[in-house]
Amino acid sequence: MTTIYSNIIASLKQGEKLLAVLIDPDKTDLIQIPSFMKKVEASVITHIFVGGSDVETNATQLLVTEIKRWTDRPVILFPGDINQLTEAADGLLFLSLISGRNPDFLIGKHVEAAKKLMHSNLDIIPTGYLLIENGKETAVQRVSGTKPIPRHDLNTIVQTVKAGALLGLKLIYLEAGSGATHPVNKEIIVAARSVIDIPLIVGGGIKTMTQLQDAYEAGADLVVIGTAIEENASFLDQLSLTSFKWNN
Ligand code: 1GP
């Protein structure tokens, strides 16, 4: 079991909820990182995810190296493609897009990456990644060429989550897509939570404290926020250690 993963499990056993900020190398100016990380350090953010849909080669490595100068929080790759793999990070969500039927994103990219990852020091966490329809087309949908599962099709969502767990995947990530109109709703999170005992990540379109709280209450163990923080730096202030606590 990897260190990052065992720490996630340990947190959940203690009833703690986890929060990741998603930083996209393609949308981030390195010069902003020191002041941004200062805010992250003062916040309840527990993990830093780095990734994007279209990222230039080397941009991820440069960004991760800069982030790690300013924080001890785990930096985890959340890659849209193989060129985003870098040993500068601590961990990797090894994503299989199990909601889709594109063999490249189910296993093909993984085969291409395997040689490099066999000798990696990254904590590699096999993750079942489900794209749930949110009201508009997302970058994941465009890049992967897959259809999201309709958000009213609870049965397919639940059976897919179960299948992911039965395959031995270590995390399930319910994704509405970056900038989603509708975040993954409570009903879906409750249903997914009820059929697995591995950690559940929820992300996409979460822009308010209420939506964040809703996701936790429904059973998300780790929530990912990218766009809301990118577009509104004061959102990070609301997540400061003093003003927001979800762990009773
Ligand atoms: C996207 O789940 C993440 O992959 C975060 O989405 O940018 O909408 O917060 P947002």
Side-chain angles (χ1 to χ4, degrees):
M1 198 186 281
T2 67
T3 308
I4 292 174
Y5 188 71
S6 51
N7 287 344
I8 290 174
I9 299 286
S11 296
L12 303 189
K13 280 190 180 148
Q14 287 167 20
E16 292 170 14
K17 297 289 188 182
L18 305 170
L19 179 63
V21 58
L22 174 62
I23 309 179
D24 185 341
D26 196 42
K27 298 181 188 160
T28 309
D29 190 341
L30 290 184
I31 213 146
Q32 301 164 345
I33 291 298
S35 60
F36 182 75
M37 291 313 300
K38 211 171 164 186
K39 288 192 174 188
V40 168
E41 288 287 301
S43 77
V44 288
I45 287 168
T46 54
H47 293 76
I48 295 154
F49 284 8
V50 175
S53 298
D54 305 292
V55 176
E56 278 182 33
T57 304
N58 294 333
T60 307
Q61 171 142 357
L62 290 172
L63 176 60
V64 170
T65 304
E66 182 62 13
I67 291 170
K68 287 197 65 68
R69 288 181 63 209
W70 304 99
T71 187
D72 291 328
R73 285 168 169 74
V75 178
I76 302 175
L77 302 174
F78 174 54
D81 213 330
I82 298 169
N83 72 343
Q84 295 175 39
L85 298 179
T86 166
E87 291 293 312
D90 301 303
L92 164 67
L93 295 189
F94 201 36
L95 302 167
S96 187
L97 183 57
I98 58 176
S99 59
R101 296 296 177 267
N102 181 342
D104 275 348
F105 289 87
L106 282 163
I107 186 63
K109 302 272 182 190
H110 313 69
V111 173
E112 281 182 55
K115 192 172 176 190
K116 192 173 179 184
L117 292 176
M118 284 302 284
H119 305 289
S120 170
N121 289 318
L122 295 167
D123 278 354
I124 299 172
I125 310 175
T127 302
Y129 190 48
L130 280 77
L131 183 61
I132 314 288
E133 173 257 327
N134 81 82
K136 70 173 191 193
E137 192 187 74
T138 60
V140 183
Q141 187 174 347
R142 177 176 51 78
V143 169
S144 68
T146 66
K147 286 200 174 112
I149 304 178
R151 63 180 186 277
H152 58 262
D153 189 354
L154 207 52
N155 183 49
T156 301
I157 294 169
V158 166
Q159 300 312 325
T160 307
V161 166
K162 273 190 203 168
L166 288 169
L167 278 166
L169 298 169
K170 298 288 185 208
L171 293 174
I172 293 292
Y173 190 142
L174 299 176
E175 170 72 277
S178 188
T181 309
H182 306 285
V184 178
N185 66 40
K186 285 177 98 168
E187 191 187 8
I188 293 172
I189 300 170
V190 168
R193 174 75 283 160
S194 71
V195 293
I196 51 166
D197 54 14
I198 54 176
L200 184 63
I201 303 181
V202 174
I206 294 179
K207 300 181 200 73
T208 66
M209 301 304 270
T210 308
Q211 289 169 334
L212 175 60
Q213 199 70 49
D214 282 353
Y216 285 140
E217 279 170 16
D221 299 307
L222 189 157
V223 171
V224 185
I225 301 180
T227 307
I229 293 174
E230 248 166 50
E231 291 180 352
N232 173 14
S234 69
F235 192 71
L236 201 46
D237 297 330
Q238 292 177 52
L239 298 169
S240 79
L241 290 165
T242 46
S243 63
F244 180 58
K245 288 249 181 249
W246 59 76
N247 300 318
N248 298 317

